[in-house]
Amino acid sequence: MTLIDKIAWIHLEQGSILSTRSHGKDAFYLPGGKREPGESDVETLVREIDEELGVAIEASSAQRFGTFEAQAHGRGDGVLVRMTCYTADYHGTPVARSEIAELRWLTHADRDRVSPVDQIIFDHLLDLNLLLAHPE
């Protein structure tokens, strides 16, 4: 078994969650990415969100939301992704940068458009009444 360790930002507004699609990918993912050697979760979060969205995460406001595991999207059997998610305040306006081709606000109705681990997170957010079942 191979494990991909990723950090992601949970950013909700009015029952929708900010998601990203990378160039050449067919699924949406929560913004974030893999840690560099020696980085903490929050250091990874700050760096990745700046690189992908051009916004400054307030490190002191980061709160762990949860850790979720699933088969890695587009990878062979036995390749799992472990996504540790954080909420955090930020400064700036998110825009698609670096490998990000598109930003989109999604609801639970878009569950089939996201990676397997994001589907688990979407279900959890719906159970907590944080994510809308359908757009209003």
Side-chain angles (χ1 to χ4, degrees):
M1 179 183 80
T2 302
L3 185 66
I4 301 169
D5 177 35
K6 295 185 80 177
I7 305 298
W9 185 34
I10 302 280
H11 181 48
L12 296 156
E13 285 189 9
Q14 299 174 354
S16 296
I17 190 165
L18 183 63
S19 296
T20 61
R21 186 182 58 77
S22 296
H23 293 283
K25 300 286 184 177
D26 62 351
F28 283 86
Y29 300 84
L30 296 178
K34 299 176 196 167
R35 78 179 76 241
E36 297 288 335
E39 274 185 334
S40 70
D41 285 5
V42 173
E43 289 168 338
T44 303
L45 182 72
V46 169
R47 178 184 51 76
E48 284 286 343
I49 300 309
D50 177 52
E51 288 174 4
E52 293 184 356
L53 305 178
V55 298
I57 292 290
E58 290 182 22
S60 64
S61 73
Q63 296 290 318
R64 188 176 173 280
F65 179 79
T67 300
F68 306 87
E69 285 187 15
Q71 170 68 36
H73 179 73
R75 299 289 192 95
D77 287 344
V79 180
L80 298 178
V81 62
R82 176 181 294 149
M83 185 95 71
T84 303
C85 300
Y86 287 83
T87 60
D89 297 331
Y90 68 99
H91 300 286
T93 302
V95 295
R97 292 179 43 178
S98 188
E99 75 269 16
I100 304 303
E102 178 181 6
L103 300 180
R104 176 99 25 115
W105 290 96
L106 303 179
T107 66
H108 196 266
D110 300 300
R111 184 183 185 276
D112 63 336
R113 302 176 70 194
V114 302
S115 72
V117 73
D118 286 19
Q119 289 179 1
I120 293 168
I121 296 164
F122 274 40
D123 292 345
H124 186 63
L125 290 165
L126 181 69
D127 289 345
L128 295 173
N129 293 316
L130 296 173
L131 190 64
L132 290 174
H134 302 283
E136 291 185 342

